[in-house]
């Protein structure tokens, strides 16, 4: 926008210059007429003056045309920026957590209503441009926090803001507890996510009360101890069930927000608008990774995950991972090689795939334009699956720390937005311990690392699909012109999916119910190339059933993708039986594009 302003200023200066030149020429002619006065001289002077005026007039007209073009470009740029800003605000408002973004001068850029709801006493005074120090001082002055005392709270809050070390817990005056997770953005600003953890704090308080009661002798009897343990187990299991049930409500608006941001990222952006979109995408990606990881760890700690051990060939894990991560590796300039294996192992296929997947994604995160190799070795204990990389490596004294929750090394990553939450290897350690599969790590700083898991050999071979011989093709133009029917009961998700797919040059038709989708289908000149449907629709309708109805109406089996926040094996089996692929919310655009390209390519 500044370059357009400079260009307009330059044109205005040139216009003024031309006007001054014309005035000088006129003065010169008038003086010449006064001094000479001859008819021939006057005629000759008139001819020269006419030519000069014509030349200057043409230059002036060209300058005016350039000025008009620049004004039109500025108007279009302002309109596009306002549209993107409006959509971005709508996406942020759909997130259930409080959200606030501050610039490098620590001035408020934007926030959502959820954030303002935590400070009702000063919400009307919180406006864009206010410094964080002023905002915190208003909160302390209004006694909006219960403890510690306002002066002490203000000091602790500003100290934490300066260091950004860990999370900060606020106990509000109305009794709520709010956890603050803040991260510094690439341009020096700070983005914060504010989460209501009142239920967790109340559970902790009840647990402390139970421990105190036990110390005072209220729980000395053996039967009471057994009862307390049963209640604790039930509470832990209930927490896991609650998180699983709430995951859909949490991930649904987050899914819509990620789709909108991804669609905006595909547009041409300049200046602060592009930086703002990138910062929002970083914050949403952090929330998404944190929710998914916490859900997995909660299930593992509560014992809600039961391994389903069977014998299966390793190619059933390695081949899909090679396809899934080929596009990610190519985008980051990494040479990814997955060496096939005919070995048969005994394990839980889904959980073992999670271990290898975390090893692979971790390697891709830290390698800088290098190589990542996945392969297998036979050993006395069974088969060792190894993931090699030539990344920065891990210091010897840090090898034990990387498997702890929220522990991340200071090793720089190539893609700052993909730094991770420090939970991936903690999940790997829990899953491996459950399966009794040993994990080993070898690393040398500056030369790379090798993560490996050892799995016992299987004794029963099962028929497996042969790996596809087709080479992975670029995904850039494969989706152009693809006709897609989207079925989802959430308007925000529909709008986000439409924006994303149209950015890939797809022809999109959307519906919020099966009946509406059938009506749209009857009016289409030909069946769509692909169906994308949410699993849980309104009035108890299921996406797999609606896909079956649409296929029946078309008279053929259309490729279909089921999008859901439900990650249970039963749903995956149901979708597989219906001939549909499954993607979990929030949908990753790169993964969606790879799946769509595989179905229609």
């Amino acid at each position: 926008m500044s370059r357009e302003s400079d260009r307009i200023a330059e044109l205005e200066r040139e216009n003024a210059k031309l006007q001054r030149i014309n005035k000088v020429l006129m003065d010169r002619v008038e003086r010449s007429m006064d001094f000479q006065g001859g008819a021939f001289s006057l005629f000759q002077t008139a001819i020269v003056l006419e030519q000069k005026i014509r030349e200057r007039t043409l230059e002036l007209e060209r300058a005016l045309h350039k000025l008009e073009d620049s004004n039109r470009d500025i108007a279009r740029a302002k309109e596009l920026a306002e549209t993107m800003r409006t959509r971005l605000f709508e996406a942020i408002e759909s997130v259930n957590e409080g959200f606030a973004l501050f610039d490098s001068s620590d001035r408020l850029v934007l926030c959502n209503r959820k954030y303002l709801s935590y400070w009702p006493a000063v919400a009307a005074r919180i406006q864009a441009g206010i410094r964080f120090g002023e905002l915190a001082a208003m909160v302390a002055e209004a006694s909006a926090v219960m403890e510690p005392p306002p002066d002490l709270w203000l000091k602790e809050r500003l100290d934490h803001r300066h260091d950004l070390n860990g999370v900060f817990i606020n106990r509000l005056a109305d009794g709520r507890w709010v956890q603050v997770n803040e991260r510094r953005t690439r341009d020096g600003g700070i983005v914060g996510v504010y989460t209501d953890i009142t239920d967790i704090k109340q559970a902790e308080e009840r647990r402390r009360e139970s421990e105190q009661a036990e110390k005072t002798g209220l729980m000395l009897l053996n039967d009471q101890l057994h009862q307390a343990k049963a209640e604790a187990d039930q509470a832990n299991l209930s927490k896991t069930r609650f998180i699983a049930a709430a995951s859909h409500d949490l991930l649904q608006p987050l899914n819509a927000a990620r789709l909108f941001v991804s669609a905006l990222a595909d547009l041409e952006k300049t200046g602060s608008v592009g930086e703002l979109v990138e910062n929002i995408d970083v914050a949403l990606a952090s929330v998404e990774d944190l929710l998914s990881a916490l859900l997995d760890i909660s299930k593992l700690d509560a014992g809600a995950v039961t391994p389903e051990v069977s014998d299966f060939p390793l190619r059933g894990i390695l081949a899909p991972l090679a396809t899934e991560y080929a596009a990610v590796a190519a985008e980051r300039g990494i040479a990814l090689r997955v060496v096939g294996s005919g070995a048969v192992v005994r394990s839980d296929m889904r959980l073992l795939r999670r271990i290898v997947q975390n090893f692979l994604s971790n390697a891709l995160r830290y390698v800088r334009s290098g190589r990542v190799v996945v392969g297998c070795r036979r050993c006395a204990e069974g088969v060792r699956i190894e993931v090699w990389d030539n990344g920065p490596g891990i210091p010897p004294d840090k090898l034990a720390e990387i498997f702890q929750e929220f522990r991340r090394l200071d090793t720089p990553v190539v893609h700052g937005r993909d730094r991770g939450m420090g939970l991936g290897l903690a999940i790997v350690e829990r899953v491996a311990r459950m399966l009794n599969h040993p994990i080993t790590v070898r690393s040398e700083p500056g030369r790379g690392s090798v993560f490996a898991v050892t799995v016992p050999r299987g004794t029963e071979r099962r028929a497996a699909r042969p790996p596809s011989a087709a080479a992975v093709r670029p995904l850039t133009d494969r989706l152009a012109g693809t006709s897609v029917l989207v079925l989802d009961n959430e308007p925000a998700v529909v709008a986000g999916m439409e924006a994303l797919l149209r950015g890939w040059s797809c022809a999109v038709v959307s519906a919020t119910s099966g009946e509406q989708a059938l009506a749209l289908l009857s009016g289409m000149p030909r069946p769509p190339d692909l169906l994308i449907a949410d699993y849980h629709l309104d009035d108890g309708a299921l996406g797999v059933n609606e896909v079956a109805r649409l296929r029946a109406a078309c008279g053929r089996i259309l490729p279909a993708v089921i999008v859901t926040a439900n990650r249970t094996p039963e749903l995956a089996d149901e979708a597989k039986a219906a001939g549909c692929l499954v993607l979990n919310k929030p949908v990753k655009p790169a993964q969606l594009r790879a799946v769509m390209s595989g179905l229609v390519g």
Side-chain angles (χ1 to χ4, degrees):
M1 196 68 68
S2 60
R3 288 183 296 180
E4 291 296 337
S5 300
D6 294 342
R7 181 182 177 189
I8 292 174
E10 179 64 25
L11 291 174
E12 291 176 347
R13 286 195 295 271
E14 184 177 350
N15 186 17
K17 179 179 178 182
L18 291 175
Q19 291 178 351
R20 290 196 300 272
I21 291 174
N22 283 339
K23 185 176 185 307
V24 171
L25 289 174
M26 293 294 295
D27 292 342
R28 179 180 176 185
V29 171
E30 291 175 356
R31 286 196 303 271
S32 176
M33 291 174 62
D34 291 340
F35 291 142
Q36 298 179 9
F40 178 77
S41 176
L42 290 175
F43 177 74
Q44 186 180 23
T45 301
I47 292 175
V48 173
L49 178 60
E50 179 185 10
Q51 181 65 25
K52 294 294 184 180
I53 292 176
R54 183 179 292 111
E55 292 175 358
R56 298 307 179 185
T57 301
L58 290 175
E59 292 179 3
L60 182 59
E61 289 177 351
R62 285 195 294 270
L64 289 176
H65 287 316
K66 290 181 181 179
L67 183 60
E68 291 175 356
D69 293 340
S70 297
N71 286 333
R72 283 194 297 269
D73 292 341
I74 290 175
R76 285 195 294 267
K78 288 182 177 179
E79 182 180 358
L80 177 59
E82 186 62 28
T83 299
M84 290 190 297
R85 186 176 182 86
T86 300
R87 292 180 177 176
L88 189 58
F89 273 119
E90 292 175 353
I92 294 173
E93 286 296 342
S94 67
V95 179
N96 286 340
E97 280 76 15
F99 180 89
L101 175 65
F102 292 80
D103 61 15
S104 57
S105 300
D106 218 10
R107 293 183 180 275
L108 180 64
V109 177
L110 59 88
C111 63
N112 60 4
R113 283 192 294 268
K114 185 66 174 180
Y115 173 79
L116 297 177
S117 71
Y118 292 132
W119 322 111
V122 296
R125 300 162 60 189
I126 299 177
Q127 303 291 335
I130 187 174
R131 291 187 179 276
F132 178 80
E134 299 173 10
L135 193 156
M138 288 194 310
V139 171
E141 183 180 353
S143 300
V145 290
M146 184 177 298
E147 58 182 39
D151 293 342
L152 179 58
W153 176 87
L154 180 60
K155 180 181 182 305
E156 292 178 353
R157 185 66 181 96
L158 295 179
D159 290 343
H160 178 270
R161 181 76 168 189
H162 180 268
D163 298 332
L164 294 183
N165 184 19
V167 300
F168 190 85
I169 305 297
N170 297 292
R171 188 176 186 185
L172 306 185
D174 59 7
R176 289 181 294 172
W177 291 85
V178 177
Q179 176 177 291
V180 183
N181 290 274
E182 293 176 316
R183 299 185 184 281
R184 195 166 295 280
T185 61
R186 190 177 303 173
D187 61 353
I190 295 178
V191 60
V193 176
Y194 294 70
T195 306
D196 190 330
I197 58 169
T198 305
D199 292 342
I200 297 176
K201 282 293 186 178
Q202 290 176 347
E204 291 178 354
E205 182 65 25
R206 289 193 295 269
R207 186 165 55 250
R208 285 194 295 268
E209 292 175 356
S210 297
E211 292 172 354
Q212 184 64 31
E214 183 180 2
K215 292 178 182 179
T216 58
L218 296 179
M219 301 178 67
L220 297 178
L221 298 178
N222 191 43
D223 57 343
Q224 291 176 323
L225 289 174
H226 282 295
Q227 182 180 357
K229 184 178 183 302
E231 291 176 355
D233 291 341
Q234 183 61 37
N236 206 7
L237 183 58
S238 298
K239 179 191 70 174
T240 301
R241 290 173 178 170
F242 168 77
I243 294 177
S247 62
H248 181 272
D249 293 335
L250 290 171
L251 297 177
Q252 190 81 338
L254 183 59
N255 181 52
R258 289 301 304 276
L259 291 174
F260 276 123
V261 172
S262 298
L264 288 177
D266 289 337
L267 300 176
E268 183 178 356
K269 304 177 295 297
T270 58
S272 60
V273 175
E275 295 177 1
L276 182 60
V277 172
E278 185 175 359
N279 290 337
I280 299 305
D281 197 18
V282 171
L284 293 177
S286 299
V287 175
E288 171 193 336
D289 293 341
L290 184 60
L291 285 176
S292 299
L294 289 176
L295 179 61
D296 290 338
I297 285 184
S298 177
K299 288 181 178 180
L300 291 170
D301 288 346
V305 179
T306 303
E308 299 178 3
V309 178
S310 62
D311 295 345
F312 57 89
L314 276 177
R315 67 171 61 93
I317 291 179
L318 300 181
L321 286 177
T323 302
E324 178 179 345
Y325 282 92
V328 177
E331 180 183 356
R332 301 181 181 183
I334 299 173
L336 172 62
R337 182 187 178 196
V338 179
V339 182
S341 173
V344 176
V345 297
R346 183 167 182 79
S347 180
D348 182 301
M349 187 173 186
R350 179 174 56 87
L351 295 178
L352 180 61
R353 183 188 189 280
R354 184 64 184 271
I355 293 176
V356 181
Q357 179 182 14
N358 277 353
F359 284 166
L360 180 54
S361 63
N362 208 50
L364 293 175
R365 179 177 294 121
Y366 288 94
V367 170
R368 183 186 299 272
S369 300
R371 297 181 60 208
V372 175
V373 178
V374 182
C376 305
R377 298 178 185 270
R378 297 183 184 272
C379 58
E381 296 80 14
V383 179
R384 187 165 62 248
I385 308 172
E386 300 179 337
V387 178
W388 294 66
D389 69 71
N390 61 350
I394 305 169
D397 59 336
K398 302 293 185 181
L399 289 176
E401 293 184 14
I402 60 177
F403 290 96
Q404 300 176 12
E405 298 91 336
F406 300 102
R407 298 303 294 270
R408 299 179 305 187
L409 303 182
D410 295 330
T411 305
V413 295
V414 182
H415 305 272
R417 65 185 300 159
D418 194 24
R419 183 167 179 83
M421 295 289 107
L423 292 173
L425 293 180
I427 294 174
V428 166
E429 191 274 338
R430 284 169 165 79
V431 173
R433 186 170 64 244
M434 178 191 304
L435 297 175
N436 196 25
H437 294 347
I439 292 177
T440 57
V441 183
R442 305 195 309 273
S443 184
E444 183 175 347
R447 301 193 63 181
S449 307
V450 182
F451 285 80
V453 56
T454 303
V455 188
R457 292 190 183 93
T459 56
E460 177 184 353
R461 291 184 177 270
R462 292 186 176 182
R465 293 184 302 171
S468 173
V472 177
R473 296 181 295 164
L475 306 179
T476 307
D477 299 322
R478 195 181 304 178
L479 296 178
T482 300
S483 174
V484 184
L485 174 59
V486 177
L487 175 58
D488 198 301
N489 61 321
E490 289 289 338
V493 175
V494 170
M497 188 68 75
E498 286 180 346
L500 181 65
L501 296 180
R502 286 171 181 159
W504 298 342
S505 301
C506 296
V508 187
V509 177
S510 301
T512 57
S513 67
E515 297 300 328
Q516 185 181 4
L518 288 172
L520 292 173
L521 193 63
S522 62
M524 297 177 66
R526 63 181 181 85
D529 300 318
L530 181 69
L531 301 176
I532 299 178
D534 189 14
Y535 182 77
H536 291 287
L537 302 171
D538 289 336
D539 301 325
L542 299 180
V544 289
N545 297 335
E546 299 303 326
V547 166
R549 295 175 62 194
L550 294 173
R551 286 172 170 173
C554 292
R556 62 188 179 91
I557 303 298
L558 299 174
V561 178
I562 298 296
V563 180
T564 179
N566 190 331
R567 302 168 185 260
T568 61
E570 292 79 11
L571 186 146
D573 294 340
E574 180 183 359
K576 182 178 180 181
C580 302
L581 293 179
V582 175
L583 288 179
N584 292 119
K585 294 180 180 180
V587 175
K588 293 179 173 59
Q591 186 181 21
L592 175 62
R593 185 164 56 182
V595 169
M596 290 176 59
S597 299
L599 290 175
V600 302

